[in-house]
Amino acid sequence: MEHWTVLLVSHVVAALFVLAVGPVQILRRRRDRIHRTVGYLWVAAMYYVCLSSFGIVTEGHFTWLHGLSAFTILTVTLGLLSAVRRNVPAHRGNMIGSYLGIAIAFGFAVGIPGRSIPRLLAADPATALYVVLLVVLSVAVVYLSMLRGGKGFGPAHLASSKRDEGRRGAEVPEITSQVT
């Protein structure tokens, strides 16, 4: 396993994160703050997976997977811009397409003998299982922390906290100015 560099390991972990988060983002009915926050994490991980792929070359040559990475950078960016512009159909299409692209790339990365992941699975399946479980656990922790923390963030919470301070007897000095 000496061929597993930090770049390759981080690339695989980020790709597993993207693969684990994608279906939850796509199938979850509510499009709220949690969707946006986890979506930004997903987009950042997608950019990392795509950009890091250009540092992973076989025998000094790019493959069609690198072309897919370049195309995915474009579709993720278009999906992000569509979300900002509130063009939901374009956002959904670009993000689902990006997810399907990375799922296809993952299928080839795992299914072609001689690549790093199949060799790891054959040589050390326990390590591969450990990494997968670690990624799934981290995704679960992200979602659970977002769900539990949903009732205490944002401007509305801060405004209500300041109102509560006033009710508890804390006086807020008024600033008045006189023009003479």
Side-chain angles (χ1 to χ4, degrees):
M1 285 202 349
E2 62 275 350
H3 62 282
W4 281 83
T5 64
V6 172
L7 177 65
L8 184 57
V9 170
S10 64
H11 174 82
V12 169
V13 168
L16 289 173
F17 176 81
V18 164
L19 287 168
V21 168
V24 179
Q25 283 292 92
I26 292 167
L27 298 174
R28 190 167 174 267
R29 294 185 62 88
R30 293 188 63 202
R31 303 297 187 225
D32 53 5
R33 181 185 55 83
I34 294 171
H35 178 81
R36 278 190 309 277
T37 303
V38 175
Y40 285 127
L41 291 172
W42 187 84
V43 165
M46 281 292 282
Y47 281 139
Y48 182 78
V49 169
C50 293
L51 292 172
S52 65
S53 74
F54 294 109
I56 304 168
V57 292
T58 305
E59 299 173 9
H61 300 287
F62 289 125
T63 67
W64 66 273
L65 289 171
H66 294 96
L68 182 59
S69 288
F71 183 70
T72 301
I73 291 170
L74 176 67
T75 59
V76 168
T77 302
L78 290 173
L80 186 60
L81 290 173
S82 297
V84 169
R85 293 179 179 154
R86 302 206 186 281
N87 184 346
V88 175
H91 170 69
R92 183 181 301 121
N94 279 297
M95 294 310 191
I96 290 173
S98 298
Y99 179 79
L100 292 174
I102 199 161
I104 290 168
F106 179 75
F108 279 100
V110 171
I112 297 176
R115 293 186 58 91
S116 298
I117 294 175
R119 285 188 292 190
L120 173 66
L121 290 171
D124 192 2
T127 298
L129 180 62
Y130 174 74
V131 170
V132 168
L133 290 175
L134 192 62
V135 169
V136 169
L137 178 65
S138 69
V139 169
V141 166
V142 166
Y143 271 104
L144 289 175
S145 65
M146 294 291 295
L147 288 171
R148 293 193 62 163
K151 299 175 184 84
F153 294 108
H157 175 70
L158 293 175
S160 68
S161 295
K162 289 186 181 193
R163 281 193 306 268
D164 291 343
E165 269 182 24
R167 289 183 197 138
R168 286 188 298 241
E171 291 188 27
V172 179
E174 279 191 37
I175 300 175
T176 58
S177 64
Q178 292 181 338
V179 178
T180 58

